[in-house]
Amino acid sequence: DAKTTQPNSMESNEEEPVHLPCNHSTISGTDYIHWYRQLPSQGPEYVIHGLTSNVNNRMASLAIAEDRKSSTLILHRATLRDAAVYYCILRGISGGSNYKLTFGKGTLLTVNP
Amino acid sequence: EAGVAQSPRYKIIEKRQSVAFWCNPISGHATLYWYQQILGQGPKLLIQFQNNGVVDDSQLPKDRFSAERLKGVDSTLKIQPAKLEDSAVYLCASSPIQGGFGRNEQFFGPGTRLTVL
């Protein structure tokens, strides 16, 4: 499985933007970049995904480097409810177990009031 | 739309006892997953079902863990006998299709926290 590297933890202040980095230097041409987050005492939830172009949705934005070896999840205005562990995951499309999500340790985001 | 349901939410057992967890996925979701999440780590896939067939069980400790998905709907995960290192949160997730292009979002339940004493 292609691997990702994320900082163990990051801290932000409420209502400020947060940029969560992810390195994936061994990404293949058909790997999608997925982000999930896990709030305390809950199961993970989908945040956003992308392949080559930057993506926006109501939760966040995903900026993907031109060479696809890194990406950044952007929370435009952090709230206390955004405090969670954020996982950057590469997901293949070639079939069978390549569809599975392989979670690393993720980045623990702390949001200060 | 109802989410993924799991029960029980908490379970405490002694080592060498057996335990079973139940999962009811979102209606119509063909794919069901069981994950194990040890404290401080990300979830690890134990088994993946497509309808009632197993797609991937490469990380399931088959000497003590078993899972079934009868009729392609709800599923049970069993541990027999339990060891201390099985203490973890067991998460169930479901998705509409197995995979392919695009979002293919997995929807997770709240998990069952197992403590083995």
Side-chain angles (χ1 to χ4, degrees):
Chain A
D1 293 333
K3 296 191 183 299
T4 63
T5 304
Q6 300 178 254
N8 290 332
S9 62
M10 292 185 66
E11 206 166 320
S12 172
N13 295 320
E14 201 174 7
E15 298 191 4
E16 290 185 355
V18 181
H19 291 234
L20 297 165
C22 180
N23 288 318
H24 29 79
S25 58
T26 60
I27 190 171
S28 76
T30 54
D31 284 337
Y32 279 80
I33 302 159
H34 285 247
W35 284 81
Y36 278 71
R37 72 179 185 181
Q38 187 169 20
L39 303 174
S41 300
Q42 295 187 26
E45 63 177 356
Y46 168 88
V47 177
I48 200 167
H49 80 282
L51 184 62
T52 56
S53 303
N54 294 343
V55 184
N56 300 298
N57 66 21
R58 63 175 179 81
M59 289 181 70
S61 296
L62 176 60
I64 301 173
E66 196 169 333
D67 63 5
R68 301 210 326 128
K69 294 184 184 301
S70 66
S71 60
T72 302
L73 179 70
I74 302 166
L75 307 179
H76 295 285
R77 291 185 64 192
T79 69
L80 296 178
R81 292 181 57 186
D82 291 322
V85 178
Y86 287 78
Y87 298 99
C88 171
I89 302 165
L90 300 183
R91 189 171 187 274
I93 61 167
S94 55
S97 60
N98 283 321
Y99 297 143
K100 69 183 180 184
L101 298 176
T102 301
F103 289 83
K105 290 190 175 181
T107 297
L108 174 63
L109 175 65
T110 301
V111 181
N112 300 313
Chain B
E1 179 180 83
V4 176
Q6 290 190 247
S7 67
R9 291 297 312 276
Y10 304 92
K11 189 74 177 178
I12 300 174
I13 62 172
E14 295 190 351
K15 60 183 179 182
R16 291 188 289 274
Q17 286 187 323
S18 62
V19 63
F21 313 124
W22 174 82
C23 171
N24 190 292
I26 292 173
S27 177
H29 281 194
T31 309
L32 185 146
Y33 313 80
W34 282 103
Y35 290 85
Q36 178 193 59
Q37 185 171 24
I38 293 172
L39 187 64
Q41 299 182 20
K44 181 183 81 171
L45 179 69
L46 293 176
I47 189 167
Q48 175 184 341
F49 292 94
Q50 175 74 5
N51 297 310
N52 60 351
V54 175
V55 173
D56 183 353
D57 62 358
S58 58
Q59 298 193 91
L60 186 73
K62 299 180 186 62
D63 58 335
R64 297 184 301 107
F65 286 64
S66 64
E68 60 181 8
R69 189 183 185 197
L70 299 176
K71 300 180 182 179
V73 182
D74 56 357
S75 175
T76 56
L77 176 70
K78 297 179 181 178
I79 307 175
Q80 183 179 4
K83 293 185 175 181
L84 296 176
E85 58 260 37
D86 298 331
S87 293
V89 175
Y90 291 85
L91 294 160
C92 179
S94 69
S95 63
I97 57 175
Q98 181 183 1
F101 298 92
R103 180 165 169 160
N104 294 309
E105 179 179 350
Q106 290 188 23
F107 296 82
F108 286 79
T112 297
R113 182 175 298 277
L114 174 67
T115 302
V116 182
L117 303 176

PDB file of all heavy atoms in Angstrom, chain A residues 2-35:
ATOM      1  N   ALA A   2       0.498   2.251  -0.830  1.00  0.00           N
ATOM      2  CA  ALA A   2       1.204   3.512  -0.818  1.00  0.00           C
ATOM      3  C   ALA A   2       1.009   4.169   0.536  1.00  0.00           C
ATOM      4  O   ALA A   2      -0.079   4.146   1.088  1.00  0.00           O
ATOM      5  CB  ALA A   2       0.672   4.399  -1.929  1.00  0.00           C
ATOM      6  N   LYS A   3       2.070   4.800   1.047  1.00  0.00           N
ATOM      7  CA  LYS A   3       2.004   5.331   2.402  1.00  0.00           C
ATOM      8  C   LYS A   3       1.922   6.844   2.386  1.00  0.00           C
ATOM      9  O   LYS A   3       2.332   7.502   1.441  1.00  0.00           O
ATOM     10  CB  LYS A   3       3.235   4.894   3.176  1.00  0.00           C
ATOM     11  CG  LYS A   3       3.318   3.393   3.376  1.00  0.00           C
ATOM     12  CD  LYS A   3       4.396   3.018   4.357  1.00  0.00           C
ATOM     13  CE  LYS A   3       4.514   1.525   4.497  1.00  0.00           C
ATOM     14  NZ  LYS A   3       3.279   0.934   4.989  1.00  0.00           N
ATOM     15  N   THR A   4       1.384   7.381   3.461  1.00  0.00           N
ATOM     16  CA  THR A   4       1.320   8.829   3.664  1.00  0.00           C
ATOM     17  C   THR A   4       2.041   9.193   4.937  1.00  0.00           C
ATOM     18  O   THR A   4       2.150   8.380   5.861  1.00  0.00           O
ATOM     19  CB  THR A   4      -0.143   9.299   3.743  1.00  0.00           C
ATOM     20  OG1 THR A   4      -0.768   8.696   4.876  1.00  0.00           O
ATOM     21  CG2 THR A   4      -0.922   8.935   2.493  1.00  0.00           C
ATOM     22  N   THR A   5       2.541  10.429   4.995  1.00  0.00           N
ATOM     23  CA  THR A   5       3.221  10.949   6.175  1.00  0.00           C
ATOM     24  C   THR A   5       2.545  12.232   6.599  1.00  0.00           C
ATOM     25  O   THR A   5       2.388  13.153   5.787  1.00  0.00           O
ATOM     26  CB  THR A   5       4.707  11.223   5.882  1.00  0.00           C
ATOM     27  OG1 THR A   5       5.317  10.014   5.404  1.00  0.00           O
ATOM     28  CG2 THR A   5       5.422  11.664   7.150  1.00  0.00           C
ATOM     29  N   GLN A   6       2.134  12.269   7.873  1.00  0.00           N
ATOM     30  CA  GLN A   6       1.469  13.439   8.423  1.00  0.00           C
ATOM     31  C   GLN A   6       2.118  13.817   9.751  1.00  0.00           C
ATOM     32  O   GLN A   6       2.627  12.947  10.461  1.00  0.00           O
ATOM     33  CB  GLN A   6      -0.010  13.139   8.686  1.00  0.00           C
ATOM     34  CG  GLN A   6      -0.833  12.746   7.488  1.00  0.00           C
ATOM     35  CD  GLN A   6      -2.270  12.428   7.903  1.00  0.00           C
ATOM     36  OE1 GLN A   6      -2.680  11.268   7.940  1.00  0.00           O
ATOM     37  NE2 GLN A   6      -3.017  13.477   8.219  1.00  0.00           N
ATOM     38  N   PRO A   7       2.064  15.096  10.117  1.00  0.00           N
ATOM     39  CA  PRO A   7       2.549  15.460  11.458  1.00  0.00           C
ATOM     40  C   PRO A   7       1.668  14.819  12.515  1.00  0.00           C
ATOM     41  O   PRO A   7       0.472  14.617  12.307  1.00  0.00           O
ATOM     42  CB  PRO A   7       2.439  16.986  11.475  1.00  0.00           C
ATOM     43  CG  PRO A   7       1.516  17.334  10.360  1.00  0.00           C
ATOM     44  CD  PRO A   7       1.617  16.257   9.352  1.00  0.00           C
ATOM     45  N   ASN A   8       2.270  14.486  13.656  1.00  0.00           N
ATOM     46  CA  ASN A   8       1.501  13.837  14.709  1.00  0.00           C
ATOM     47  C   ASN A   8       0.421  14.747  15.257  1.00  0.00           C
ATOM     48  O   ASN A   8      -0.675  14.291  15.590  1.00  0.00           O
ATOM     49  CB  ASN A   8       2.424  13.417  15.856  1.00  0.00           C
ATOM     50  CG  ASN A   8       3.320  12.268  15.462  1.00  0.00           C
ATOM     51  OD1 ASN A   8       2.973  11.463  14.600  1.00  0.00           O
ATOM     52  ND2 ASN A   8       4.471  12.189  16.084  1.00  0.00           N
ATOM     53  N   SER A   9       0.734  16.038  15.381  1.00  0.00           N
ATOM     54  CA  SER A   9      -0.231  16.954  15.980  1.00  0.00           C
ATOM     55  C   SER A   9      -0.038  18.354  15.430  1.00  0.00           C
ATOM     56  O   SER A   9       1.038  18.712  14.950  1.00  0.00           O
ATOM     57  CB  SER A   9      -0.085  16.961  17.505  1.00  0.00           C
ATOM     58  OG  SER A   9       1.190  17.421  17.876  1.00  0.00           O
ATOM     59  N   MET A  10      -1.117  19.126  15.470  1.00  0.00           N
ATOM     60  CA  MET A  10      -1.100  20.533  15.105  1.00  0.00           C
ATOM     61  C   MET A  10      -2.072  21.277  16.004  1.00  0.00           C
ATOM     62  O   MET A  10      -3.025  20.683  16.534  1.00  0.00           O
ATOM     63  CB  MET A  10      -1.484  20.733  13.639  1.00  0.00           C
ATOM     64  CG  MET A  10      -0.468  20.215  12.654  1.00  0.00           C
ATOM     65  SD  MET A  10      -0.882  20.590  10.939  1.00  0.00           S
ATOM     66  CE  MET A  10      -0.754  22.372  10.922  1.00  0.00           C
ATOM     67  N   GLU A  11      -1.821  22.579  16.136  1.00  0.00           N
ATOM     68  CA  GLU A  11      -2.666  23.398  16.983  1.00  0.00           C
ATOM     69  C   GLU A  11      -3.126  24.618  16.200  1.00  0.00           C
ATOM     70  O   GLU A  11      -2.392  25.141  15.358  1.00  0.00           O
ATOM     71  CB  GLU A  11      -1.861  23.832  18.224  1.00  0.00           C
ATOM     72  CG  GLU A  11      -2.686  24.142  19.432  1.00  0.00           C
ATOM     73  CD  GLU A  11      -1.844  24.224  20.701  1.00  0.00           C
ATOM     74  OE1 GLU A  11      -0.918  23.403  20.864  1.00  0.00           O
ATOM     75  OE2 GLU A  11      -2.122  25.136  21.499  1.00  0.00           O
ATOM     76  N   SER A  12      -4.338  25.031  16.479  1.00  0.00           N
ATOM     77  CA  SER A  12      -4.883  26.194  15.791  1.00  0.00           C
ATOM     78  C   SER A  12      -5.736  26.987  16.765  1.00  0.00           C
ATOM     79  O   SER A  12      -6.167  26.476  17.800  1.00  0.00           O
ATOM     80  CB  SER A  12      -5.722  25.745  14.604  1.00  0.00           C
ATOM     81  OG  SER A  12      -6.403  26.832  14.018  1.00  0.00           O
ATOM     82  N   ASN A  13      -6.013  28.218  16.379  1.00  0.00           N
ATOM     83  CA  ASN A  13      -6.939  29.040  17.153  1.00  0.00           C
ATOM     84  C   ASN A  13      -8.285  29.073  16.441  1.00  0.00           C
ATOM     85  O   ASN A  13      -8.371  28.999  15.207  1.00  0.00           O
ATOM     86  CB  ASN A  13      -6.401  30.458  17.338  1.00  0.00           C
ATOM     87  CG  ASN A  13      -5.144  30.475  18.170  1.00  0.00           C
ATOM     88  OD1 ASN A  13      -5.020  29.749  19.153  1.00  0.00           O
ATOM     89  ND2 ASN A  13      -4.185  31.303  17.767  1.00  0.00           N
ATOM     90  N   GLU A  14      -9.325  29.202  17.227  1.00  0.00           N
ATOM     91  CA  GLU A  14     -10.673  29.245  16.673  1.00  0.00           C
ATOM     92  C   GLU A  14     -10.809  30.386  15.676  1.00  0.00           C
ATOM     93  O   GLU A  14     -10.255  31.470  15.863  1.00  0.00           O
ATOM     94  CB  GLU A  14     -11.672  29.412  17.822  1.00  0.00           C
ATOM     95  CG  GLU A  14     -13.075  28.988  17.509  1.00  0.00           C
ATOM     96  CD  GLU A  14     -13.989  29.046  18.712  1.00  0.00           C
ATOM     97  OE1 GLU A  14     -13.565  29.551  19.771  1.00  0.00           O
ATOM     98  OE2 GLU A  14     -15.137  28.584  18.592  1.00  0.00           O
ATOM     99  N   GLU A  15     -11.537  30.101  14.596  1.00  0.00           N
ATOM    100  CA  GLU A  15     -11.838  31.044  13.526  1.00  0.00           C
ATOM    101  C   GLU A  15     -10.637  31.404  12.656  1.00  0.00           C
ATOM    102  O   GLU A  15     -10.754  32.281  11.801  1.00  0.00           O
ATOM    103  CB  GLU A  15     -12.516  32.300  14.079  1.00  0.00           C
ATOM    104  CG  GLU A  15     -13.854  32.015  14.757  1.00  0.00           C
ATOM    105  CD  GLU A  15     -14.650  33.261  15.067  1.00  0.00           C
ATOM    106  OE1 GLU A  15     -14.209  34.357  14.692  1.00  0.00           O
ATOM    107  OE2 GLU A  15     -15.713  33.137  15.683  1.00  0.00           O
ATOM    108  N   GLU A  16      -9.534  30.739  12.856  1.00  0.00           N
ATOM    109  CA  GLU A  16      -8.382  30.925  11.965  1.00  0.00           C
ATOM    110  C   GLU A  16      -8.300  29.759  10.980  1.00  0.00           C
ATOM    111  O   GLU A  16      -8.795  28.666  11.252  1.00  0.00           O
ATOM    112  CB  GLU A  16      -7.094  31.016  12.779  1.00  0.00           C
ATOM    113  CG  GLU A  16      -6.987  32.294  13.593  1.00  0.00           C
ATOM    114  CD  GLU A  16      -5.647  32.406  14.304  1.00  0.00           C
ATOM    115  OE1 GLU A  16      -4.865  31.461  14.237  1.00  0.00           O
ATOM    116  OE2 GLU A  16      -5.426  33.456  14.936  1.00  0.00           O
ATOM    117  N   PRO A  17      -7.656  29.978   9.820  1.00  0.00           N
ATOM    118  CA  PRO A  17      -7.508  28.870   8.867  1.00  0.00           C
ATOM    119  C   PRO A  17      -6.484  27.856   9.377  1.00  0.00           C
ATOM    120  O   PRO A  17      -5.556  28.203  10.121  1.00  0.00           O
ATOM    121  CB  PRO A  17      -7.013  29.562   7.598  1.00  0.00           C
ATOM    122  CG  PRO A  17      -6.382  30.823   8.073  1.00  0.00           C
ATOM    123  CD  PRO A  17      -7.128  31.247   9.303  1.00  0.00           C
ATOM    124  N   VAL A  18      -6.679  26.613   8.972  1.00  0.00           N
ATOM    125  CA  VAL A  18      -5.773  25.526   9.339  1.00  0.00           C
ATOM    126  C   VAL A  18      -5.350  24.804   8.063  1.00  0.00           C
ATOM    127  O   VAL A  18      -6.193  24.491   7.221  1.00  0.00           O
ATOM    128  CB  VAL A  18      -6.462  24.509  10.264  1.00  0.00           C
ATOM    129  CG1 VAL A  18      -5.481  23.399  10.652  1.00  0.00           C
ATOM    130  CG2 VAL A  18      -7.012  25.190  11.496  1.00  0.00           C
ATOM    131  N   HIS A  19      -4.062  24.572   7.945  1.00  0.00           N
ATOM    132  CA  HIS A  19      -3.516  23.843   6.796  1.00  0.00           C
ATOM    133  C   HIS A  19      -2.878  22.551   7.308  1.00  0.00           C
ATOM    134  O   HIS A  19      -1.848  22.583   7.996  1.00  0.00           O
ATOM    135  CB  HIS A  19      -2.479  24.692   6.065  1.00  0.00           C
ATOM    136  CG  HIS A  19      -3.068  25.872   5.344  1.00  0.00           C
ATOM    137  ND1 HIS A  19      -2.847  26.112   4.009  1.00  0.00           N
ATOM    138  CD2 HIS A  19      -3.883  26.860   5.757  1.00  0.00           C
ATOM    139  CE1 HIS A  19      -3.504  27.213   3.637  1.00  0.00           C
ATOM    140  NE2 HIS A  19      -4.132  27.687   4.690  1.00  0.00           N
ATOM    141  N   LEU A  20      -3.489  21.429   6.980  1.00  0.00           N
ATOM    142  CA  LEU A  20      -2.996  20.123   7.426  1.00  0.00           C
ATOM    143  C   LEU A  20      -2.249  19.461   6.268  1.00  0.00           C
ATOM    144  O   LEU A  20      -2.853  19.103   5.261  1.00  0.00           O
ATOM    145  CB  LEU A  20      -4.166  19.251   7.879  1.00  0.00           C
ATOM    146  CG  LEU A  20      -4.947  19.781   9.085  1.00  0.00           C
ATOM    147  CD1 LEU A  20      -6.279  19.073   9.224  1.00  0.00           C
ATOM    148  CD2 LEU A  20      -4.133  19.627  10.347  1.00  0.00           C
ATOM    149  N   PRO A  21      -0.927  19.260   6.409  1.00  0.00           N
ATOM    150  CA  PRO A  21      -0.159  18.718   5.293  1.00  0.00           C
ATOM    151  C   PRO A  21      -0.136  17.191   5.278  1.00  0.00           C
ATOM    152  O   PRO A  21      -0.298  16.542   6.323  1.00  0.00           O
ATOM    153  CB  PRO A  21       1.253  19.255   5.562  1.00  0.00           C
ATOM    154  CG  PRO A  21       1.319  19.329   7.056  1.00  0.00           C
ATOM    155  CD  PRO A  21      -0.070  19.653   7.536  1.00  0.00           C
ATOM    156  N   CYS A  22       0.105  16.648   4.086  1.00  0.00           N
ATOM    157  CA  CYS A  22       0.253  15.202   3.920  1.00  0.00           C
ATOM    158  C   CYS A  22       1.248  14.949   2.784  1.00  0.00           C
ATOM    159  O   CYS A  22       1.103  15.515   1.703  1.00  0.00           O
ATOM    160  CB  CYS A  22      -1.093  14.566   3.606  1.00  0.00           C
ATOM    161  SG  CYS A  22      -1.032  12.764   3.390  1.00  0.00           S
ATOM    162  N   ASN A  23       2.255  14.140   3.052  1.00  0.00           N
ATOM    163  CA  ASN A  23       3.208  13.745   2.018  1.00  0.00           C
ATOM    164  C   ASN A  23       2.903  12.329   1.555  1.00  0.00           C
ATOM    165  O   ASN A  23       2.656  11.433   2.373  1.00  0.00           O
ATOM    166  CB  ASN A  23       4.641  13.823   2.546  1.00  0.00           C
ATOM    167  CG  ASN A  23       5.098  15.257   2.715  1.00  0.00           C
ATOM    168  OD1 ASN A  23       4.833  16.093   1.869  1.00  0.00           O
ATOM    169  ND2 ASN A  23       5.751  15.556   3.819  1.00  0.00           N
ATOM    170  N   HIS A  24       2.918  12.133   0.254  1.00  0.00           N
ATOM    171  CA  HIS A  24       2.661  10.805  -0.325  1.00  0.00           C
ATOM    172  C   HIS A  24       3.517  10.669  -1.571  1.00  0.00           C
ATOM    173  O   HIS A  24       3.002  10.632  -2.705  1.00  0.00           O
ATOM    174  CB  HIS A  24       1.170  10.584  -0.623  1.00  0.00           C
ATOM    175  CG  HIS A  24       0.385  11.821  -0.933  1.00  0.00           C
ATOM    176  ND1 HIS A  24       0.427  12.434  -2.172  1.00  0.00           N
ATOM    177  CD2 HIS A  24      -0.453  12.556  -0.165  1.00  0.00           C
ATOM    178  CE1 HIS A  24      -0.363  13.491  -2.137  1.00  0.00           C
ATOM    179  NE2 HIS A  24      -0.912  13.580  -0.933  1.00  0.00           N
ATOM    180  N   SER A  25       4.818  10.560  -1.365  1.00  0.00           N
ATOM    181  CA  SER A  25       5.771  10.598  -2.470  1.00  0.00           C
ATOM    182  C   SER A  25       5.701   9.371  -3.367  1.00  0.00           C
ATOM    183  O   SER A  25       6.169   9.412  -4.503  1.00  0.00           O
ATOM    184  CB  SER A  25       7.192  10.765  -1.931  1.00  0.00           C
ATOM    185  OG  SER A  25       7.497   9.708  -1.056  1.00  0.00           O
ATOM    186  N   THR A  26       5.124   8.271  -2.876  1.00  0.00           N
ATOM    187  CA  THR A  26       5.055   7.039  -3.681  1.00  0.00           C
ATOM    188  C   THR A  26       3.681   6.848  -4.302  1.00  0.00           C
ATOM    189  O   THR A  26       3.336   5.747  -4.744  1.00  0.00           O
ATOM    190  CB  THR A  26       5.412   5.814  -2.828  1.00  0.00           C
ATOM    191  OG1 THR A  26       4.490   5.724  -1.737  1.00  0.00           O
ATOM    192  CG2 THR A  26       6.828   5.917  -2.292  1.00  0.00           C
ATOM    193  N   ILE A  27       2.910   7.891  -4.392  1.00  0.00           N
ATOM    194  CA  ILE A  27       1.549   7.798  -4.934  1.00  0.00           C
ATOM    195  C   ILE A  27       1.600   7.324  -6.393  1.00  0.00           C
ATOM    196  O   ILE A  27       2.494   7.700  -7.160  1.00  0.00           O
ATOM    197  CB  ILE A  27       0.832   9.159  -4.818  1.00  0.00           C
ATOM    198  CG1 ILE A  27      -0.648   9.038  -5.153  1.00  0.00           C
ATOM    199  CG2 ILE A  27       1.523  10.212  -5.671  1.00  0.00           C
ATOM    200  CD1 ILE A  27      -1.452  10.296  -4.850  1.00  0.00           C
ATOM    201  N   SER A  28       0.660   6.473  -6.764  1.00  0.00           N
ATOM    202  CA  SER A  28       0.592   6.023  -8.148  1.00  0.00           C
ATOM    203  C   SER A  28      -0.402   6.901  -8.909  1.00  0.00           C
ATOM    204  O   SER A  28      -1.185   7.639  -8.314  1.00  0.00           O
ATOM    205  CB  SER A  28       0.151   4.559  -8.214  1.00  0.00           C
ATOM    206  OG  SER A  28      -1.240   4.457  -7.974  1.00  0.00           O
ATOM    207  N   GLY A  29      -0.354   6.787 -10.227  1.00  0.00           N
ATOM    208  CA  GLY A  29      -1.179   7.648 -11.049  1.00  0.00           C
ATOM    209  C   GLY A  29      -2.669   7.457 -10.871  1.00  0.00           C
ATOM    210  O   GLY A  29      -3.458   8.350 -11.190  1.00  0.00           O
ATOM    211  N   THR A  30      -3.071   6.297 -10.332  1.00  0.00           N
ATOM    212  CA  THR A  30      -4.506   6.023 -10.179  1.00  0.00           C
ATOM    213  C   THR A  30      -4.974   6.100  -8.729  1.00  0.00           C
ATOM    214  O   THR A  30      -6.110   5.752  -8.431  1.00  0.00           O
ATOM    215  CB  THR A  30      -4.841   4.632 -10.738  1.00  0.00           C
ATOM    216  OG1 THR A  30      -3.980   3.668 -10.107  1.00  0.00           O
ATOM    217  CG2 THR A  30      -4.643   4.585 -12.238  1.00  0.00           C
ATOM    218  N   ASP A  31      -4.117   6.522  -7.833  1.00  0.00           N
ATOM    219  CA  ASP A  31      -4.516   6.646  -6.428  1.00  0.00           C
ATOM    220  C   ASP A  31      -5.278   7.943  -6.193  1.00  0.00           C
ATOM    221  O   ASP A  31      -4.805   9.023  -6.551  1.00  0.00           O
ATOM    222  CB  ASP A  31      -3.298   6.642  -5.502  1.00  0.00           C
ATOM    223  CG  ASP A  31      -2.689   5.270  -5.312  1.00  0.00           C
ATOM    224  OD1 ASP A  31      -3.403   4.274  -5.518  1.00  0.00           O
ATOM    225  OD2 ASP A  31      -1.508   5.206  -4.931  1.00  0.00           O
ATOM    226  N   TYR A  32      -6.440   7.820  -5.561  1.00  0.00           N
ATOM    227  CA  TYR A  32      -7.164   8.983  -5.083  1.00  0.00           C
ATOM    228  C   TYR A  32      -6.641   9.356  -3.695  1.00  0.00           C
ATOM    229  O   TYR A  32      -6.212   8.500  -2.933  1.00  0.00           O
ATOM    230  CB  TYR A  32      -8.660   8.692  -4.977  1.00  0.00           C
ATOM    231  CG  TYR A  32      -9.408   8.799  -6.275  1.00  0.00           C
ATOM    232  CD1 TYR A  32      -9.383   7.766  -7.196  1.00  0.00           C
ATOM    233  CD2 TYR A  32     -10.153   9.941  -6.580  1.00  0.00           C
ATOM    234  CE1 TYR A  32     -10.072   7.862  -8.397  1.00  0.00           C
ATOM    235  CE2 TYR A  32     -10.839  10.046  -7.773  1.00  0.00           C
ATOM    236  CZ  TYR A  32     -10.799   9.005  -8.671  1.00  0.00           C
ATOM    237  OH  TYR A  32     -11.477   9.100  -9.853  1.00  0.00           O
ATOM    238  N   ILE A  33      -6.669  10.636  -3.385  1.00  0.00           N
ATOM    239  CA  ILE A  33      -6.300  11.138  -2.064  1.00  0.00           C
ATOM    240  C   ILE A  33      -7.589  11.406  -1.293  1.00  0.00           C
ATOM    241  O   ILE A  33      -8.415  12.213  -1.712  1.00  0.00           O
ATOM    242  CB  ILE A  33      -5.482  12.435  -2.168  1.00  0.00           C
ATOM    243  CG1 ILE A  33      -4.229  12.193  -3.006  1.00  0.00           C
ATOM    244  CG2 ILE A  33      -5.115  12.951  -0.767  1.00  0.00           C
ATOM    245  CD1 ILE A  33      -3.637  13.469  -3.572  1.00  0.00           C
ATOM    246  N   HIS A  34      -7.766  10.685  -0.198  1.00  0.00           N
ATOM    247  CA  HIS A  34      -8.956  10.831   0.629  1.00  0.00           C
ATOM    248  C   HIS A  34      -8.555  11.397   1.979  1.00  0.00           C
ATOM    249  O   HIS A  34      -7.506  11.044   2.527  1.00  0.00           O
ATOM    250  CB  HIS A  34      -9.638   9.475   0.834  1.00  0.00           C
ATOM    251  CG  HIS A  34     -10.396   8.983  -0.351  1.00  0.00           C
ATOM    252  ND1 HIS A  34     -11.767   8.864  -0.369  1.00  0.00           N
ATOM    253  CD2 HIS A  34      -9.973   8.578  -1.571  1.00  0.00           C
ATOM    254  CE1 HIS A  34     -12.152   8.408  -1.545  1.00  0.00           C
ATOM    255  NE2 HIS A  34     -11.090   8.234  -2.294  1.00  0.00           N
ATOM    256  N   TRP A  35      -9.429  12.189   2.550  1.00  0.00           N
ATOM    257  CA  TRP A  35      -9.274  12.665   3.914  1.00  0.00           C
ATOM    258  C   TRP A  35     -10.510  12.274   4.719  1.00  0.00           C
ATOM    259  O   TRP A  35     -11.649  12.490   4.277  1.00  0.00           O
ATOM    260  CB  TRP A  35      -9.091  14.181   3.962  1.00  0.00           C
ATOM    261  CG  TRP A  35      -7.729  14.644   3.549  1.00  0.00           C
ATOM    262  CD1 TRP A  35      -7.268  14.801   2.277  1.00  0.00           C
ATOM    263  CD2 TRP A  35      -6.646  15.009   4.405  1.00  0.00           C
ATOM    264  NE1 TRP A  35      -5.963  15.253   2.285  1.00  0.00           N
ATOM    265  CE2 TRP A  35      -5.558  15.387   3.583  1.00  0.00           C
ATOM    266  CE3 TRP A  35      -6.481  15.077   5.797  1.00  0.00           C
ATOM    267  CZ2 TRP A  35      -4.331  15.815   4.104  1.00  0.00           C
ATOM    268  CZ3 TRP A  35      -5.274  15.508   6.316  1.00  0.00           C
ATOM    269  CH2 TRP A  35      -4.207  15.871   5.475  1.00  0.00           C
TER     270      TRP A  35
END
